[in-house]
Amino acid sequence: MFAASSIRPVQAETAPDTARLSPKAAAFASRTLDFIEKMNGIYFDAAVRLNGDDNRFEQRALDTEFGTWNTRVARGPVMEKAGRTVTIIKKPTFQADTLWSRYLVLAAHPKSPLVGTMQASFVVEFHADGNSMVAGMIDVMPAATSDDDLSEIKNAVEAVYQAHGVDGEKYRQRSCLASAEEMNVEYRRKAACVGGNFFGRDPMAVTEENFDFMTEIYQAFVESFLKIVEKRQNDTYTDADLTLQDKMRKGWLEDRLFADPNTTQFAPWEAWSLYSLPPVVKF
């Protein structure tokens, strides 16, 4: 983590930094920015619709020698906290030397324990050695979430896997099972295995097929989760359900503090605590 004194406010991005990219890579960069804006609209429009007049926003932009983080959070009575950040890598820590990158993270914490927490990350990178990567992670950290609701999300995601001829089980297992390279696995997130983890091991290059696959599966996952939030917003729940939520949220904090490579090795606390952490964690 980096000291607060090394961080200074920055303005939101105004133009893509694609001068060092080939025309083909620059076209993908432009499509990446368009997709991020599309997901911003889907995500925050849902927060406003669910929270109504009680919805409120906060925004913060941070700049360090390692990267920039443009963070926005919606808060309210239904979508208790909906965080988003867009990161640009400037000085890699564990990443490859990068010519151009955008890293979108959505972290949603509905108030109802019947839904759980959503983590959805999407990254596009073009590297100095000529390689590229499109990757991400999509999954739910369940609380008192029903099997039917988890199946609904899984089925929406599976439809995209099948449409692109991709083995969904391979990526679902990566979301739930630690690799040999991971650290502090005892604190690793407890995911529902309904989405997928597309980082590490054999990353996908930025191609037409891979870009379409990742953007489609990301959008399908986020939209299916938001539908569950809307469906369960007025359902009653018990103290036992809240206990499950408290346990899940504490576990998510532990994953952020001790296990996740992005939050432990790269992103500053001032950014990831705002966009990623639950609104309340109990000990």
Side-chain angles (χ1 to χ4, degrees), residues 18-30:
T18 58
R20 294 190 293 170
L21 300 181
S22 69
K24 184 176 181 180
F28 276 117
S30 179

Side-chain angles (χ1 to χ4, degrees), residues 1 22 24 39 43 68 74 99 121 127 136 156 216 219-220 230 252 258 266 273 283:
M1 290 183 235
S22 69
K24 184 176 181 180
M39 293 309 305
Y43 186 56
T68 66
L99 297 177
S121 57
H127 302 147
E216 289 171 23
Q219 182 174 342
E230 186 168 12
W252 185 242
F258 305 121
F266 181 62
S273 61
F283 294 87

Side-chain angles (χ1 to χ4, degrees), residues 9-208:
V10 298
Q11 298 300 314
E13 177 181 12
T14 57
D17 46 339
T18 58
R20 294 190 293 170
L21 300 181
S22 69
K24 184 176 181 180
F28 276 117
S30 179
R31 289 171 63 184
T32 298
L33 297 178
D34 289 344
F35 179 69
I36 289 172
E37 285 307 303
K38 178 182 181 180
M39 293 309 305
N40 281 340
I42 290 171
Y43 186 56
F44 287 122
D45 285 354
V48 170
R49 185 177 67 254
L50 290 163
N51 289 335
D53 292 341
D54 293 322
N55 187 78
R56 63 192 188 279
F57 285 110
E58 56 187 295
Q59 187 149 335
R60 188 175 190 187
L62 298 175
D63 186 6
T64 77
E65 64 178 301
F66 298 93
T68 66
W69 288 262
N70 187 334
T71 301
R72 192 184 197 201
V73 175
R75 300 180 190 268
V78 177
M79 187 65 82
E80 191 172 10
K81 182 181 178 185
R84 180 231 65 194
T85 200
V86 179
T87 304
I88 302 173
I89 300 169
K90 294 197 300 183
K91 181 180 178 181
T93 53
F94 64 90
Q95 309 95 334
D97 187 15
T98 303
L99 297 177
W100 189 95
S101 67
R102 292 299 184 277
Y103 187 3
L104 169 68
V105 180
L106 305 178
H109 303 277
K111 183 175 181 61
S112 173
L114 304 179
V115 185
T117 284
M118 179 193 82
Q119 170 80 358
S121 57
F122 169 80
V123 60
V124 172
E125 296 178 3
F126 293 98
H127 302 147
D129 61 7
N131 291 319
S132 62
M133 180 180 74
V134 56
M137 197 284 283
I138 50 173
D139 220 323
V140 176
M141 275 40 73
T145 317
S146 73
D147 289 342
D148 286 346
D149 287 350
L150 292 174
S151 292
E152 185 174 329
I153 297 171
K154 182 178 179 180
N155 290 340
V157 171
E158 180 61 25
V160 181
Y161 280 126
Q162 293 188 12
H164 287 266
V166 175
D167 177 12
E169 190 59 25
K170 167 184 172 181
Y171 293 105
R172 282 190 291 267
Q173 287 301 309
R174 287 186 182 181
S175 184
C176 294
L177 300 177
S179 68
E181 295 78 23
E182 293 185 52
M183 64 179 189
N184 297 331
V185 294
E186 65 270 28
Y187 297 110
R188 194 180 191 270
R189 63 186 179 271
K190 305 298 188 296
C193 308
V194 296
N197 182 0
F198 308 93
F199 286 108
R201 301 168 208 175
D202 53 351
M204 291 182 280
V206 180
T207 66
E208 195 73 31

Side-chain angles (χ1 to χ4, degrees), residues 211-265:
F211 188 89
D212 287 348
F213 167 70
M214 279 302 307
T215 53
E216 289 171 23
I217 204 165
Y218 189 92
Q219 182 174 342
F221 170 77
V222 172
E223 290 182 329
S224 63
F225 180 86
L226 294 173
K227 288 178 182 177
I228 300 301
V229 179
E230 186 168 12
K231 181 169 68 172
R232 298 299 177 197
Q233 63 179 312
N234 296 316
D235 287 5
T236 59
Y237 45 82
T238 67
D239 288 343
D241 295 332
L242 289 170
T243 297
L244 290 173
Q245 183 185 64
D246 291 342
K247 180 180 179 181
M248 178 272 293
R249 287 180 168 184
K250 179 174 178 285
W252 185 242
L253 169 63
E254 292 172 338
D255 175 86
R256 307 288 87 186
L257 284 172
F258 305 121
D260 184 83
N262 183 53
T263 53
T264 58
Q265 301 177 47

